[in-house]
Every structure is written in structure tokens, then in C-alpha cells.
């Protein structure tokens, strides 16, 4: 089973993503509530993949992605955000994200994206 | 506080398009139809609107966010407390009535719906105005409707007698639950953005 770290400031969103990932071949090994927490948990848990919200207090998802990539250039980070704007997509890719899912998300879309990212 | 009639009309159209998109995002998020019952954009007298809100004695949960970019503003999603519990059940795809008490998950649901609606509005405005507009992390409040509304418009009250406000009322289909979404745009950045929008539209019209 592939290890996943979920990063989102809303507990209810983390719970929903966890429910979805349980239906696939994924093991949620940790949760982080902001970008700073995400980097610490990444170092500690070494997940295979990270789902990353963008709008979060203190350190946002774009900065957290840069920080994680600086620590591990091979980190696989999938952005999950309600922001559907070209410039933000570009910023996420430049930061090192490998994929971007726009909220509200579909269960199948999350599972298929994470599977594709793992295979690649 | 001034805004031209033409700009008010353009804003009204952009808001209506934005709210259609927001309503679709909202419905998809909770897997339940959120129907728009009212959308209005008006320059309102602060004393009249606060008096109106103060007659609403329902306990509400609200998510307040800022919109930042070429257009600044404040956004608020507000729902009665009992409705927030049902919203939580919809969001987590549980049987209605599962959530019994307001807790971290209820707060998170209102926070996330505020975020989804604000992002949808930001996305629509960004498309119309051709620039990036991002919501800030939400702040969640639980209080009476009037108190929450006063906190929402507090800064505007300091210098102005009137506010430009867009109000949208949603009804969750097959329920008695109404919820509200307010947008309070910053007039300076709004005027600049609408001027640019008008110029681009004029250039495109001339070219075609």
C-alpha cells in the first residue's frame, strides 16, 4: 500500500479525503494542518505521495511544496484546491507539484490521479 | 461612496455569472442541489441593513474570507446552526441527522463551503477581469446573525454611511434550510478593475 500524507487546514476535508483513499490502495500515514506542519510530517513519515491544499494559514501550499521539494526533489505532491486560475496552476507546477485537482473533487478523480502519479 | 450606474450594471452581471458557478460548485461539494433564490447587488444604507439583520435572532455559523488581487473585498457564507449540522451530513455523505452537535467537523464544513464559494467567485471574477484573485484562509464565527453581520461590515462602517453589497440566498433542495452569501467589494479596486474590463471590452468590440 502506498503511504499518503494529507495536508489541509479543514479537518472535515482531511476526513473526506481519508474516506476516499480507503477505497483505493492507499494508507494515510499522517495529516498536516498547514505548510509548516506538512514539511515536518513529510520528514518524519516519508510518504510516497502528498495531497496538498493551497489556501492555508501561516505557510500556504505553494510554499510548503517548495520546502518539501527542497528537502526531497523526488517528492510527489498533488495539489487539491478550489482555485481554478491559470496563474495559480503555473505557480504550483513551478513549485514542484506533479498534478492539480480542482475542488469540488470526485472520488474517482482523486483515486485515478494518485494512481497515475504513483506509476509515473 | 460612489459607483457609476454602468459599473453597477457590469458588476451585477459578473456577480450573477459568478453565483451560477458558485452554486454549481456548492451543489457538487455537498452532492445536493443548492438553489439560488435571490441575487442582488445594491448600494445600501448601513443603518438600514444592520437594523434588518438585527431582527434576525437565529444563531448562525459563518465563514469570513478576504479576496485579494486586482480586486479586493470580503466574502461571507452564513448558515443557521441547525442547517450547518445538516450541511455537515451532506458534505460527509452521512444520513441527515447524524451530526448532533456543533463541533470541529461542523466548523470545518462551514469553513470549506466558504472556501469553495469564495474560490468559485474568485475564479469567475479572474476570468472576467483577466487577473488572479485569491481567497485568504477563512475565519469561522458562531453568533447571532446581527452580531456576525456587524463584524463583517465593521471596517466599512468607520468611514461610510453606505456599502455596496451583493447578497445571494441559497435554499438547500428538499430542506427548509436557507443560507446566505455576501460579497463586499472594495470600491477603489472595483472601479479600477471595471475600468480595465470596460476598456478591454471596447477594444475587442472595435476589433471585431
Amino acid at each position: 500500500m502506498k503511504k499518503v500524507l494529507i495536508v489541509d487546514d479543514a479537518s472535515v476535508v482531511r476526513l473526506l479525503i481519508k474516506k476516499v483513499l480507503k477505497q483505493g490502495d492507499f494508507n494515510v500515514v499522517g495529516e498536516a494542518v498547514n505548510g509548516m506542519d506538512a514539511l515536518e510530517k513529510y520528514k518524519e513519515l516519508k510518504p510516497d505521495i502528498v495531497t496538498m491544499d493551497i489556501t492555508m494559514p501561516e505557510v500556504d501550499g505553494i510554499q510548503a511544496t517548495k520546502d518539501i521539494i527542497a528537502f526531497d526533489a523526488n517528492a510527489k505532491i498533488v495539489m487539491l484546491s478550489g482555485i481554478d486560475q491559470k496563474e495559480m496552476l503555473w505557480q504550483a507546477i513551478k513549485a514542484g507539484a506533479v498534478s492539480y485537482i480542482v475542488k469540488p473533487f470526485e472520488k474517482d478523480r482523486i483515486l485515478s490521479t494518485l494512481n497515475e502519479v504513483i506509476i509515473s | 461612496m460612489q459607483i457609476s450606474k454602468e459599473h453597477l450594471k457590469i458588476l451585477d452581471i459578473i456577480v450573477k455569472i459568478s453565483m451560477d458557478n458558485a452554486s454549481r460548485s456548492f451543489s457538487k461539494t455537498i452532492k445536493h442541489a443548492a438553489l439560488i433564490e435571490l441575487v442582488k447587488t445594491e448600494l445600501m444604507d448601513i443603518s438600514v441593513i444592520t437594523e434588518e439583520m438585527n431582527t434576525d435572532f437565529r444563531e448562525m455559523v459563518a465563514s469570513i474570507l478576504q479576496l485579494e488581487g486586482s480586486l479586493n473585498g470580503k466574502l461571507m457564507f452564513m448558515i443557521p446552526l441547525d442547517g450547518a449540522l445538516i450541511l455537515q451530513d451532506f458534505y460527509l455523505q452521512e444520513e441527515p441527522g447524524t451530526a448532533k452537535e456543533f463541533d470541529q467537523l461542523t466548523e470545518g464544513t462551514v469553513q470549506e463551503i466558504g472556501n469553495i464559494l469564495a474560490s468559485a467567485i474568485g475564479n469567475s471574477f479572474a476570468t472576467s477581469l483577466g487577473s488572479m484573485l485569491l481567497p485568504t484562509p477563512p475565519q469561522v464565527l458562531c453568533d447571532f446573525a446581527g452580531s456576525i453581520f456587524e463584524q463583517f461590515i465593521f471596517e466599512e462602517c468607520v468611514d461610510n454611511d453606505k456599502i455596496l453589497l451583493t447578497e445571494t440566498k441559497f435554499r438547500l433542495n428538499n430542506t427548509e434550510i436557507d443560507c446566505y452569501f455576501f460579497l463586499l467589494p472594495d470600491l477603489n479596486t472595483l472601479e479600477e478593475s471595471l475600468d480595465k474590463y470596460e476598456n478591454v471590452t471596447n477594444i475587442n468590440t472595435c476589433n471585431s
Side-chain angles (χ1 to χ4, degrees):
Chain A
M1 272 188 151
K2 296 295 178 189
K3 296 192 290 178
V4 184
L5 170 66
I6 301 172
V7 186
D8 200 300
D9 57 331
S11 56
V12 72
V13 179
R14 298 196 303 272
L15 180 62
L16 192 65
I17 297 172
K18 241 189 326 191
K19 272 186 170 184
V20 169
L21 296 184
K22 267 188 186 169
Q23 295 170 43
D25 193 24
F26 298 101
N27 176 26
V28 177
V29 291
E31 297 175 29
V33 298
N34 62 41
M36 206 186 302
D37 194 20
L39 179 62
E40 283 170 17
K41 295 264 169 65
Y42 188 89
K43 288 176 177 173
E44 180 194 332
L45 303 166
K46 308 265 182 343
D48 299 301
I49 196 160
V50 179
T51 67
M52 179 76 76
D53 185 21
I54 291 180
T55 309
M56 291 185 290
E58 295 172 45
V59 176
D60 68 22
I62 297 292
Q63 186 57 48
T65 301
K66 288 178 186 168
D67 294 344
I68 291 173
I69 293 291
F71 170 75
D72 175 6
N74 296 316
K76 291 179 173 176
I77 302 171
V78 175
M79 309 307 280
L80 263 169
S81 172
I83 302 163
D84 185 11
Q85 297 173 35
K86 273 187 289 186
E87 210 172 312
M88 181 52 77
L89 176 65
W90 181 233
Q91 281 188 26
I93 290 167
K94 273 202 297 187
V98 289
S99 195
Y100 194 111
I101 299 172
V102 178
K103 289 180 188 174
F105 49 74
E106 295 288 343
K107 179 187 83 178
D108 294 343
R109 173 98 169 91
I110 292 193
L111 292 174
S112 63
T113 303
L114 264 61
N115 279 320
E116 280 166 22
V117 167
I118 290 292
I119 292 166
S120 69
Chain B
M1 177 171 285
Q2 283 187 332
I3 182 166
S4 70
K5 276 187 183 172
E6 276 187 352
H7 279 179
L8 198 57
K9 202 172 168 185
I10 296 169
L11 178 67
D12 187 49
I13 293 167
I14 297 176
V15 165
K16 281 179 178 150
I17 295 168
S18 303
M19 290 320 303
D20 279 341
N21 292 335
S23 160
R24 277 193 289 275
S25 292
F26 189 8
S27 301
K28 201 174 162 190
T29 303
I30 60 171
K31 309 271 189 291
H32 199 95
L35 311 169
I36 295 175
E37 291 211 324
L38 163 89
V39 188
K40 64 176 179 186
T41 302
E42 273 177 2
L43 202 53
M44 299 174 107
D45 199 309
I46 289 176
S47 58
V48 173
I49 178 96
T50 47
E51 201 178 310
E52 198 180 296
M53 293 302 291
N54 279 328
T55 59
D56 187 340
F57 295 107
R58 288 177 296 171
E59 211 178 342
M60 298 275 197
V61 190
S63 174
I64 298 180
L65 310 93
Q66 307 274 348
L67 201 59
E68 293 176 349
S70 59
L71 168 65
N72 297 331
K74 278 176 102 174
L75 306 136
M76 178 168 76
F77 170 67
M78 187 163 76
I79 185 167
L81 189 54
D82 53 348
L85 296 173
I86 293 172
L87 196 64
Q88 178 188 329
D89 289 336
F90 286 159
Y91 184 75
L92 290 172
Q93 291 162 52
E94 307 274 10
E95 281 295 310
T98 305
K100 304 276 187 220
E101 282 181 5
F102 181 84
D103 61 14
Q104 210 184 3
L105 291 178
T106 326
E107 186 179 320
T109 303
V110 175
Q111 176 183 342
E112 182 60 7
I113 299 300
N115 189 30
I116 294 278
L117 288 170
S119 296
I121 298 291
N123 296 341
S124 298
F125 269 80
T127 305
S128 299
L129 303 174
S131 58
M132 192 156 79
L133 293 169
L134 301 177
T136 59
Q139 175 199 3
V140 178
L141 302 173
C142 187
D143 207 330
F144 293 107
S147 302
I148 290 176
F149 193 78
E150 274 177 18
Q151 290 187 57
F152 179 60
I153 62 165
F154 177 75
E155 286 163 15
E156 298 299 315
C157 297
V158 177
D159 298 321
N160 303 300
D161 299 326
K162 291 188 171 192
I163 48 171
L164 178 66
L165 188 71
T166 81
E167 179 188 355
T168 306
K169 183 178 171 188
F170 294 102
R171 164 65 61 101
L172 301 185
N173 197 26
N174 294 327
T175 74
E176 297 295 311
I177 302 162
D178 292 329
C179 42
Y180 308 86
F181 188 75
F182 299 96
L183 166 64
L184 190 61
D186 162 63
L187 270 194
N188 294 326
T189 49
L190 176 69
E191 284 280 287
E192 281 171 25
S193 296
L194 293 179
D195 276 337
K196 278 184 202 160
Y197 176 82
E198 238 179 346
N199 289 337
V200 170
T201 312
N202 287 340
I203 290 165
N204 289 342
T205 310
C206 290
N207 289 342
S208 62

